[in-house]
Amino acid sequence: MPLADATTLSFTAPIFATILSFFVLKEAVGPRRWAAVAVGFIGVIVVMRPGVGHSVLPLAGVAFALIGAVLTAGVTITLRQLRDTEHVAAIVFWFFVACSVVGAILLPFVGHWHALGTFGLLIGSGVAGGLAQLFMTASLQKAPVAVVAPFDYLQIVGAIVFGWWLMAATPTLTTLAGAALIASSGLYTAWREHIRRKASLIQPTAPLV
């Protein structure tokens, strides 16, 4: 899959987080946020480009991207439960311990030797990913989701730029349109979450929408 499409589909995570918050955390989800979920899934269909000849995305790639988004949503739900009791460093530490264990299990099946230059890139990406995880976790503790979420969607812009620069992959109009729908859905969901929390602090008995 092109980098821009894979990154765009990964941003369905806030949509799945809304669904999981309803079923797992038993949080109230009003009709406007359900409408945002529907808009996000329309965006997924647009990105998939069903019936558009050879430009249709491979179903396996779409499935892996959406499964990754569901798992990311699970992490978001877990962080909601942990952020009031655990330190940022502890959360990130155990996150990487878990990743290392899973990676070690898969290493005999998919691992192979690389050139020194490739190892350098892997180390660099690991350091960058670790710093990103620290900053992301800290941001969720220091600022409302509605403030943090818009910056997160800059990853779509970065994926489009790097995909074009490094892989000569020009995003299609359907990718851009689907990204706009998914981003709009995620941003509206984050904004409604912010309003919901603010309303619950002012009027705990007020209906949540």
Side-chain angles (χ1 to χ4, degrees):
M1 285 179 62
L3 181 61
D5 294 287
T7 304
T8 297
L9 290 177
S10 73
F11 275 95
T12 55
I15 300 171
F16 290 113
T18 299
I19 297 173
L20 289 177
S21 70
F22 177 76
F23 287 105
V24 177
L25 300 181
K26 307 302 180 182
E27 293 182 351
V29 178
R32 282 177 282 189
R33 284 201 287 168
W34 283 125
V37 168
V39 169
F41 281 118
I42 292 172
V44 171
I45 295 172
V46 172
V47 172
M48 288 174 61
R49 304 188 285 277
V52 190
H54 296 292
S55 65
V56 176
L57 294 180
L59 290 180
V62 172
F64 279 123
L66 293 179
I67 290 172
V70 172
L71 295 176
T72 301
V75 172
T76 301
I77 296 299
T78 304
L79 285 176
R80 286 187 189 180
Q81 297 172 304
L82 291 176
R83 64 186 178 185
D84 295 329
T85 59
E86 302 297 330
H87 192 274
V88 172
I91 295 173
V92 174
F93 172 78
W94 288 110
F95 172 81
F96 281 109
V97 168
C99 289
S100 299
V101 170
V102 174
I105 293 173
L106 296 176
L107 189 61
F109 303 99
V110 298
H112 59 275
W113 192 256
H114 298 285
L116 291 179
T118 303
F119 274 119
L121 291 173
L122 290 171
I123 293 171
S125 64
V127 172
L131 291 174
Q133 186 68 28
L134 278 170
F135 285 122
M136 182 197 74
T137 305
S139 70
L140 290 174
Q141 288 190 325
K142 301 296 183 181
V145 175
V147 175
V148 175
F151 293 96
D152 208 25
Y153 282 93
L154 288 174
Q155 291 184 53
I156 296 179
V157 178
I160 291 173
V161 172
F162 281 109
W164 168 77
W165 181 31
L166 300 176
M167 306 172 189
T170 304
T172 63
L173 290 177
T174 51
T175 296
L176 296 176
L181 288 173
I182 292 172
S184 299
S185 171
L187 291 173
Y188 180 79
T189 298
W191 180 71
R192 288 303 305 170
E193 176 73 10
H194 171 67
I195 296 299
R196 186 187 71 85
R197 288 183 179 276
K198 188 175 179 180
S200 66
L201 291 174
I202 299 173
Q203 295 178 336
T205 58
L208 303 179
V209 294

